Amino acid sequence: MAYIANRVNSYSIDPVLWSYFDKDDSILIAASIVSYRDSTFLSANIEKQIAAIPLKRANSLAEAIDWVSQLNELQ
């Protein structure tokens, strides 16, 4: 499963939570965060550094969906 966070409002999760999604032990294989503001994009940068799974920062929902749909693991 891949997760897409469409962050319309300015918020983020505790970045440490991303470290719990280990590629080998989790059903979650990738995530994408859609950011519409510079502040949420910066938060997504921090989350990307901590994430144990591939995490894409996207500027639109269409970009995030396109990235997820091209993941080899979901084919």
Side-chain angles (χ1 to χ4, degrees):
M1 176 176 13
Y3 172 72
I4 297 176
N6 188 22
R7 297 207 176 144
V8 176
N9 298 312
S10 181
Y11 64 90
S12 64
I13 66 166
D14 180 357
V16 175
L17 292 176
W18 285 111
S19 66
Y20 294 117
F21 296 114
D22 187 300
K23 281 194 266 188
D24 296 329
D25 295 337
S26 178
I27 191 170
L28 189 63
I29 58 137
S32 183
I33 299 172
V34 182
S35 302
Y36 299 98
R37 296 178 182 81
D38 290 339
S39 60
T40 54
F41 195 82
L42 291 173
S43 295
N45 282 336
I46 295 168
E47 292 175 49
K48 181 175 175 60
Q49 297 302 313
I50 295 173
I53 59 172
L55 192 146
K56 166 131 175 98
R57 293 150 303 162
N59 293 312
S60 70
L61 189 54
E63 179 184 356
I65 292 169
D66 184 51
W67 180 77
V68 166
S69 67
Q70 293 181 24
L71 291 171
N72 290 332
E73 296 88 350
L74 295 178
Q75 301 298 322

Coordinates of all heavy atoms in Angstrom, one line a residue:
M1 N 0.8 -1.2 0.0 CA 0.0 0.0 0.0 C 0.9 1.2 0.0 O 2.0 1.2 0.6 CB -0.9 0.0 1.2 CG -1.7 1.2 1.3 SD -3.0 1.4 2.7 CE -2.6 0.1 3.8
A2 N 0.5 2.3 -0.7 CA 1.1 3.6 -0.7 C 0.2 4.6 -0.1 O -1.0 4.5 -0.2 CB 1.5 4.0 -2.1
Y3 N 0.7 5.6 0.6 CA 0.0 6.6 1.3 C 0.2 7.9 0.7 O 1.4 8.3 0.4 CB 0.4 6.6 2.8 CG -0.2 7.7 3.6 CD1 -1.5 7.7 4.0 CD2 0.6 8.7 4.0 CE1 -2.0 8.7 4.8 CE2 0.1 9.8 4.8 CZ -1.2 9.7 5.2 OH -1.7 10.7 6.0
I4 N -0.9 8.7 0.4 CA -0.8 10.0 -0.1 C -1.4 11.0 0.9 O -2.6 10.8 1.2 CB -1.4 10.2 -1.5 CG1 -0.8 9.3 -2.5 CG2 -1.4 11.7 -1.9 CD1 -1.4 9.3 -3.9
A5 N -0.6 11.9 1.4 CA -1.1 12.9 2.3 C -1.3 14.2 1.6 O -0.4 14.8 1.1 CB -0.1 13.1 3.5
N6 N -2.6 14.6 1.4 CA -3.0 15.8 0.7 C -3.1 16.9 1.7 O -4.2 17.2 2.2 CB -4.3 15.6 -0.1 CG -4.6 16.7 -1.0 OD1 -3.7 17.5 -1.4 ND2 -5.8 16.9 -1.4
R7 N -2.0 17.6 2.0 CA -1.9 18.6 3.1 C -2.4 19.9 2.6 O -1.7 20.8 2.3 CB -0.5 18.7 3.6 CG -0.1 17.3 4.2 CD 0.9 17.5 5.3 NE 1.2 16.2 5.9 CZ 2.3 15.8 6.3 NH1 3.4 16.6 6.2 NH2 2.5 14.6 6.8
V8 N -3.8 20.0 2.6 CA -4.4 21.3 2.2 C -4.2 22.4 3.2 O -3.9 23.5 3.0 CB -5.9 21.1 1.9 CG1 -6.6 22.4 1.6 CG2 -6.1 20.1 0.8
N9 N -4.3 21.9 4.5 CA -4.0 22.9 5.6 C -2.6 22.7 6.1 O -1.9 21.7 5.8 CB -5.0 22.6 6.8 CG -6.4 22.8 6.3 OD1 -6.7 23.8 5.8 ND2 -7.2 21.8 6.6
S10 N -2.1 23.6 6.8 CA -0.7 23.6 7.3 C -0.6 22.7 8.6 O -1.0 23.1 9.7 CB -0.2 25.0 7.7 OG 1.1 25.0 8.1
Y11 N -0.1 21.5 8.4 CA 0.1 20.6 9.5 C 1.1 19.5 9.1 O 1.4 19.3 7.9 CB -1.2 19.9 10.0 CG -1.9 19.0 8.9 CD1 -1.6 17.7 8.8 CD2 -2.8 19.5 8.0 CE1 -2.1 16.9 7.9 CE2 -3.3 18.7 7.0 CZ -3.0 17.4 7.0 OH -3.6 16.6 6.0
S12 N 1.6 18.8 10.0 CA 2.4 17.6 9.8 C 2.3 16.6 10.9 O 1.6 16.9 11.9 CB 3.9 18.0 9.7 OG 4.3 18.5 10.9
I13 N 2.8 15.4 10.7 CA 2.8 14.5 11.8 C 4.1 14.5 12.5 O 5.1 15.2 12.1 CB 2.6 13.0 11.3 CG1 3.7 12.6 10.4 CG2 1.3 12.9 10.5 CD1 3.7 11.1 10.1
D14 N 4.2 13.9 13.6 CA 5.5 13.8 14.3 C 6.5 13.0 13.4 O 6.2 11.9 13.1 CB 5.3 13.0 15.7 CG 6.6 12.9 16.5 OD1 7.6 13.3 16.0 OD2 6.5 12.3 17.6
P15 N 7.5 13.7 13.0 CA 8.4 13.0 12.0 C 9.0 11.7 12.4 O 9.3 10.8 11.6 CB 9.6 14.1 11.8 CG 9.0 15.4 12.2 CD 8.0 15.0 13.3
V16 N 9.1 11.5 13.7 CA 9.6 10.2 14.2 C 8.7 9.1 13.9 O 9.2 7.9 13.7 CB 9.8 10.3 15.8 CG1 10.3 9.0 16.3 CG2 10.9 11.4 16.1
L17 N 7.4 9.3 13.7 CA 6.5 8.2 13.3 C 6.9 7.6 12.0 O 6.7 6.4 11.8 CB 5.1 8.8 13.3 CG 4.5 9.2 14.6 CD1 3.1 9.8 14.3 CD2 4.4 8.0 15.5
W18 N 7.5 8.3 11.1 CA 7.9 7.7 9.8 C 9.0 6.6 10.0 O 9.0 5.7 9.2 CB 8.5 8.8 8.9 CG 7.4 9.7 8.3 CD1 7.2 11.0 8.6 CD2 6.4 9.3 7.3 NE1 6.1 11.4 7.9 CE2 5.6 10.4 7.1 CE3 6.1 8.1 6.7 CZ2 4.5 10.4 6.2 CZ3 5.0 8.1 5.8 CH2 4.3 9.2 5.6
S19 N 9.7 6.7 11.0 CA 10.8 5.7 11.3 C 10.1 4.3 11.6 O 10.8 3.3 11.5 CB 11.7 6.1 12.4 OG 11.1 6.2 13.6
Y20 N 8.9 4.3 12.0 CA 8.2 3.0 12.3 C 7.8 2.3 11.1 O 7.5 1.1 11.2 CB 7.0 3.3 13.2 CG 7.4 3.8 14.6 CD1 7.0 5.0 15.0 CD2 8.2 3.0 15.5 CE1 7.3 5.5 16.3 CE2 8.5 3.5 16.7 CZ 8.1 4.7 17.1 OH 8.5 5.2 18.3
F21 N 7.7 2.9 9.9 CA 7.3 2.3 8.7 C 8.5 1.7 8.0 O 9.0 2.2 7.0 CB 6.6 3.2 7.8 CG 5.3 3.7 8.4 CD1 5.1 5.1 8.7 CD2 4.2 2.9 8.6 CE1 3.9 5.6 9.2 CE2 3.0 3.4 9.1 CZ 2.9 4.7 9.4
D22 N 9.0 0.6 8.5 CA 10.2 -0.1 7.9 C 9.7 -0.9 6.7 O 8.7 -1.5 6.7 CB 10.8 -1.1 8.9 CG 12.0 -1.7 8.4 OD1 12.0 -2.3 7.4 OD2 13.1 -1.5 9.1
K23 N 10.4 -0.8 5.6 CA 10.1 -1.4 4.3 C 9.9 -2.9 4.5 O 9.0 -3.5 3.8 CB 11.2 -1.2 3.3 CG 11.1 0.2 2.6 CD 11.9 0.2 1.4 CE 13.3 0.7 1.7 NZ 14.1 1.0 0.5
D24 N 10.6 -3.6 5.3 CA 10.5 -5.0 5.4 C 9.4 -5.5 6.3 O 8.9 -6.6 6.2 CB 11.8 -5.6 5.9 CG 13.0 -5.3 5.0 OD1 12.7 -5.3 3.8 OD2 14.1 -5.2 5.5
D25 N 8.9 -4.7 7.2 CA 7.9 -5.1 8.2 C 6.6 -4.5 8.0 O 5.6 -4.9 8.7 CB 8.4 -4.8 9.6 CG 9.7 -5.5 10.0 OD1 9.9 -6.6 9.4 OD2 10.4 -5.0 10.9
S26 N 6.4 -3.6 7.1 CA 5.2 -2.8 7.0 C 4.4 -3.1 5.7 O 5.1 -3.4 4.7 CB 5.4 -1.4 7.1 OG 4.3 -0.6 7.0
I27 N 3.1 -3.0 5.7 CA 2.3 -3.1 4.5 C 2.5 -1.8 3.7 O 2.3 -1.8 2.5 CB 0.8 -3.4 4.8 CG1 0.1 -3.7 3.5 CG2 0.2 -2.2 5.5 CD1 -1.3 -4.2 3.8
L28 N 2.9 -0.7 4.3 CA 3.1 0.6 3.7 C 4.5 0.6 3.0 O 5.5 0.5 3.7 CB 3.0 1.7 4.7 CG 3.0 3.1 4.2 CD1 1.8 3.4 3.3 CD2 3.0 4.1 5.3
I29 N 4.5 0.7 1.7 CA 5.8 0.6 1.0 C 6.3 2.0 0.5 O 7.5 2.1 0.2 CB 5.7 -0.3 -0.2 CG1 4.6 0.1 -1.2 CG2 5.5 -1.8 0.2 CD1 5.0 0.0 -2.6
A30 N 5.5 3.0 0.5 CA 5.9 4.3 0.0 C 4.8 5.3 0.4 O 3.7 5.0 0.7 CB 6.1 4.3 -1.5
A31 N 5.2 6.6 0.4 CA 4.3 7.7 0.8 C 4.6 8.9 0.0 O 5.8 9.1 -0.5 CB 4.4 8.0 2.2
S32 N 3.7 9.7 -0.3 CA 3.9 11.0 -0.9 C 3.1 12.1 -0.1 O 2.0 11.9 0.3 CB 3.3 11.0 -2.3 OG 3.6 12.2 -3.0
I33 N 3.8 13.2 0.1 CA 3.1 14.3 0.8 C 2.9 15.5 -0.2 O 3.9 16.0 -0.8 CB 4.0 14.8 1.9 CG1 4.2 13.7 2.9 CG2 3.4 16.1 2.6 CD1 5.3 14.0 4.0
V34 N 1.7 15.9 -0.4 CA 1.4 17.0 -1.3 C 1.3 18.3 -0.4 O 0.6 18.4 0.5 CB 0.0 16.8 -2.0 CG1 -0.3 18.0 -2.9 CG2 -0.1 15.5 -2.7
S35 N 2.2 19.2 -0.8 CA 2.3 20.5 -0.1 C 1.9 21.6 -0.9 O 2.4 21.7 -2.1 CB 3.8 20.7 0.4 OG 4.2 19.6 1.2
Y36 N 1.2 22.5 -0.4 CA 0.7 23.7 -1.1 C 1.4 25.0 -0.6 O 1.2 26.1 -1.2 CB -0.8 23.8 -1.1 CG -1.5 22.6 -1.7 CD1 -2.0 21.6 -0.9 CD2 -1.7 22.5 -3.1 CE1 -2.6 20.5 -1.4 CE2 -2.3 21.4 -3.6 CZ -2.8 20.4 -2.8 OH -3.4 19.3 -3.3
R37 N 2.1 24.9 0.5 CA 2.8 26.0 1.1 C 4.2 25.7 1.3 O 4.6 24.5 1.5 CB 2.1 26.4 2.4 CG 0.7 26.8 2.3 CD 0.2 27.1 3.7 NE -1.2 27.5 3.7 CZ -2.2 26.6 3.6 NH1 -2.0 25.3 3.5 NH2 -3.5 27.1 3.6
D38 N 5.1 26.7 1.3 CA 6.5 26.5 1.6 C 6.7 25.9 3.0 O 7.6 25.0 3.2 CB 7.3 27.8 1.5 CG 7.4 28.4 0.1 OD1 7.2 27.6 -0.8 OD2 7.6 29.6 0.0
S39 N 5.9 26.3 4.0 CA 6.1 25.8 5.3 C 5.8 24.3 5.4 O 6.5 23.5 6.1 CB 5.2 26.5 6.3 OG 3.8 26.4 6.0
T40 N 4.8 23.8 4.7 CA 4.5 22.4 4.7 C 5.5 21.6 3.9 O 5.8 20.4 4.2 CB 3.0 22.1 4.3 OG1 2.8 22.6 3.0 CG2 2.0 22.6 5.2
F41 N 6.0 22.2 2.9 CA 7.1 21.6 2.1 C 8.3 21.4 2.9 O 9.0 20.3 2.9 CB 7.4 22.4 0.8 CG 8.2 21.6 -0.2 CD1 7.5 20.7 -1.1 CD2 9.5 21.8 -0.3 CE1 8.3 20.0 -2.0 CE2 10.3 21.0 -1.3 CZ 9.6 20.2 -2.1
L42 N 8.7 22.4 3.7 CA 9.8 22.3 4.6 C 9.6 21.2 5.7 O 10.5 20.4 6.0 CB 10.1 23.6 5.3 CG 10.6 24.7 4.4 CD1 10.7 26.0 5.1 CD2 12.0 24.3 3.8
S43 N 8.4 21.1 6.2 CA 8.1 20.0 7.1 C 8.2 18.6 6.5 O 8.8 17.7 7.0 CB 6.7 20.1 7.7 OG 6.6 21.3 8.5
A44 N 7.8 18.6 5.2 CA 7.9 17.3 4.4 C 9.4 16.9 4.2 O 9.7 15.8 4.2 CB 7.2 17.4 3.1
N45 N 10.3 17.9 4.1 CA 11.7 17.7 3.9 C 12.2 16.9 5.1 O 13.0 16.0 5.0 CB 12.5 19.0 3.7 CG 12.4 19.5 2.3 OD1 12.1 18.8 1.4 ND2 12.6 20.8 2.2
I46 N 11.8 17.4 6.3 CA 12.3 16.8 7.6 C 11.7 15.3 7.6 O 12.4 14.4 8.0 CB 11.8 17.6 8.8 CG1 12.5 18.9 8.8 CG2 12.1 16.8 10.1 CD1 12.0 19.9 9.7
E47 N 10.5 15.2 7.3 CA 9.8 13.8 7.3 C 10.5 12.9 6.3 O 10.7 11.7 6.6 CB 8.3 13.9 7.0 CG 7.6 14.7 8.1 CD 6.1 14.9 7.8 OE1 5.5 13.9 7.3 OE2 5.6 16.0 7.9
K48 N 10.9 13.4 5.2 CA 11.6 12.6 4.2 C 12.9 12.1 4.7 O 13.3 10.9 4.4 CB 11.8 13.4 2.9 CG 12.5 12.6 1.8 CD 12.6 13.4 0.5 CE 13.4 12.7 -0.6 NZ 12.8 11.5 -1.0
Q49 N 13.6 12.9 5.4 CA 14.9 12.5 6.0 C 14.8 11.4 7.0 O 15.7 10.5 7.1 CB 15.6 13.7 6.6 CG 16.0 14.8 5.7 CD 16.8 14.3 4.5 OE1 17.8 13.7 4.7 NE2 16.5 14.7 3.3
I50 N 13.7 11.3 7.7 CA 13.5 10.3 8.8 C 12.8 9.1 8.3 O 13.0 8.0 8.8 CB 12.7 11.0 9.9 CG1 13.5 12.1 10.6 CG2 12.3 10.0 11.0 CD1 12.8 12.9 11.6
A51 N 12.1 9.2 7.2 CA 11.3 8.0 6.8 C 12.1 6.9 6.4 O 13.2 7.0 5.7 CB 10.4 8.5 5.6
A52 N 11.7 5.7 6.8 CA 12.4 4.4 6.4 C 11.9 3.9 5.1 O 12.4 2.9 4.6 CB 12.2 3.4 7.5
I53 N 10.9 4.5 4.5 CA 10.3 4.1 3.2 C 10.5 5.3 2.2 O 10.7 6.4 2.7 CB 8.8 3.7 3.3 CG1 8.0 4.9 3.8 CG2 8.6 2.5 4.2 CD1 6.5 4.8 3.8
P54 N 10.4 5.0 0.9 CA 10.5 6.1 0.0 C 9.4 7.1 0.2 O 8.2 6.7 0.4 CB 10.3 5.4 -1.4 CG 10.7 4.0 -1.1 CD 10.3 3.7 0.3
L55 N 9.7 8.4 0.3 CA 8.7 9.4 0.5 C 9.0 10.5 -0.5 O 10.1 11.1 -0.6 CB 8.9 10.0 1.9 CG 7.8 10.9 2.4 CD1 7.5 10.7 3.9 CD2 8.0 12.3 2.1
K56 N 8.0 10.8 -1.3 CA 8.0 11.9 -2.3 C 7.3 13.1 -1.8 O 6.2 13.0 -1.3 CB 7.4 11.4 -3.6 CG 7.1 12.5 -4.6 CD 7.6 12.2 -5.9 CE 7.3 13.2 -7.0 NZ 8.4 14.2 -7.2
R57 N 7.9 14.3 -2.0 CA 7.2 15.5 -1.8 C 6.7 16.0 -3.1 O 7.4 16.1 -4.1 CB 8.2 16.6 -1.2 CG 8.7 16.2 0.2 CD 10.1 16.7 0.4 NE 10.9 16.2 -0.6 CZ 12.1 16.6 -0.9 NH1 12.6 17.6 -0.3 NH2 12.9 16.1 -1.9
A58 N 5.4 16.3 -3.2 CA 4.8 16.7 -4.4 C 4.1 18.0 -4.3 O 3.7 18.5 -3.2 CB 3.7 15.6 -4.8
N59 N 4.0 18.7 -5.4 CA 3.3 20.0 -5.4 C 1.9 20.0 -5.8 O 1.2 21.0 -5.8 CB 4.1 21.0 -6.4 CG 5.5 21.3 -5.9 OD1 5.6 21.7 -4.7 ND2 6.5 21.2 -6.7
S60 N 1.4 18.8 -6.3 CA 0.0 18.6 -6.7 C -0.4 17.2 -6.4 O 0.4 16.3 -6.3 CB -0.2 19.0 -8.1 OG 0.4 18.0 -9.0
L61 N -1.7 17.0 -6.2 CA -2.3 15.7 -6.0 C -2.0 14.8 -7.2 O -1.7 13.6 -7.1 CB -3.8 15.8 -5.7 CG -4.4 14.5 -5.2 CD1 -3.7 13.9 -4.0 CD2 -5.9 14.8 -4.8
A62 N -2.1 15.4 -8.4 CA -1.9 14.6 -9.7 C -0.5 14.1 -9.7 O -0.2 13.0 -10.1 CB -2.2 15.5 -10.9
E63 N 0.5 14.9 -9.3 CA 1.9 14.5 -9.3 C 2.1 13.4 -8.3 O 2.8 12.4 -8.6 CB 2.8 15.7 -8.9 CG 4.3 15.4 -8.8 CD 5.1 16.6 -8.3 OE1 4.5 17.7 -8.1 OE2 6.3 16.4 -8.1
A64 N 1.5 13.4 -7.1 CA 1.6 12.3 -6.2 C 1.0 11.1 -6.7 O 1.6 10.0 -6.5 CB 0.9 12.8 -4.8
I65 N -0.2 11.1 -7.3 CA -0.9 9.9 -7.8 C 0.0 9.3 -8.9 O 0.1 8.1 -9.0 CB -2.3 10.3 -8.3 CG1 -3.2 10.6 -7.0 CG2 -2.9 9.1 -9.1 CD1 -4.5 11.2 -7.4
D66 N 0.5 10.1 -9.8 CA 1.3 9.7 -10.9 C 2.6 8.9 -10.3 O 2.9 7.8 -10.8 CB 1.8 10.8 -11.8 CG 2.5 10.4 -13.0 OD1 2.0 9.5 -13.7 OD2 3.6 10.9 -13.2
W67 N 3.2 9.5 -9.3 CA 4.4 8.8 -8.7 C 4.1 7.5 -8.1 O 4.7 6.5 -8.4 CB 5.1 9.8 -7.7 CG 6.3 9.2 -7.1 CD1 7.5 9.1 -7.6 CD2 6.3 8.6 -5.7 NE1 8.4 8.5 -6.7 CE2 7.7 8.2 -5.6 CE3 5.4 8.5 -4.7 CZ2 8.1 7.6 -4.4 CZ3 5.9 7.9 -3.5 CH2 7.2 7.5 -3.4
V68 N 3.0 7.5 -7.4 CA 2.6 6.2 -6.7 C 2.2 5.2 -7.7 O 2.5 4.0 -7.6 CB 1.4 6.5 -5.7 CG1 0.7 5.2 -5.3 CG2 1.9 7.2 -4.5
S69 N 1.5 5.6 -8.8 CA 1.1 4.6 -9.8 C 2.2 4.0 -10.6 O 2.1 2.9 -11.2 CB 0.0 5.2 -10.8 OG 0.7 6.2 -11.5
Q70 N 3.4 4.6 -10.6 CA 4.5 4.1 -11.3 C 5.5 3.3 -10.4 O 6.5 2.8 -10.9 CB 5.3 5.3 -11.9 CG 4.6 6.0 -13.0 CD 5.3 7.1 -13.6 OE1 6.5 7.2 -13.6 NE2 4.6 8.1 -14.2
L71 N 5.1 3.1 -9.1 CA 6.0 2.3 -8.3 C 6.0 0.9 -8.7 O 4.9 0.3 -8.9 CB 5.5 2.4 -6.8 CG 5.7 3.8 -6.1 CD1 5.0 3.8 -4.8 CD2 7.2 4.1 -5.9
N72 N 7.2 0.3 -8.9 CA 7.3 -1.1 -9.3 C 6.7 -2.1 -8.3 O 6.1 -3.1 -8.6 CB 8.7 -1.5 -9.5 CG 9.3 -0.8 -10.7 OD1 8.6 -0.5 -11.7 ND2 10.6 -0.6 -10.7
E73 N 6.7 -1.7 -7.0 CA 6.2 -2.6 -6.0 C 4.7 -2.8 -6.0 O 4.1 -3.7 -5.5 CB 6.6 -2.0 -4.6 CG 8.1 -2.0 -4.3 CD 8.7 -0.7 -4.7 OE1 8.1 0.1 -5.4 OE2 9.9 -0.6 -4.4
L74 N 4.0 -1.8 -6.7 CA 2.5 -1.9 -6.8 C 2.1 -2.5 -8.1 O 0.9 -2.6 -8.3 CB 1.9 -0.5 -6.6 CG 2.1 0.1 -5.2 CD1 1.5 1.5 -5.2 CD2 1.5 -0.7 -4.1
Q75 N 3.0 -2.9 -8.9 CA 2.7 -3.4 -10.3 C 2.3 -4.9 -10.2 O 2.7 -5.6 -9.4 CB 3.8 -3.2 -11.2 CG 4.2 -1.8 -11.4 CD 3.1 -0.9 -12.0 OE1 2.4 -1.3 -12.9 NE2 3.0 0.3 -11.5

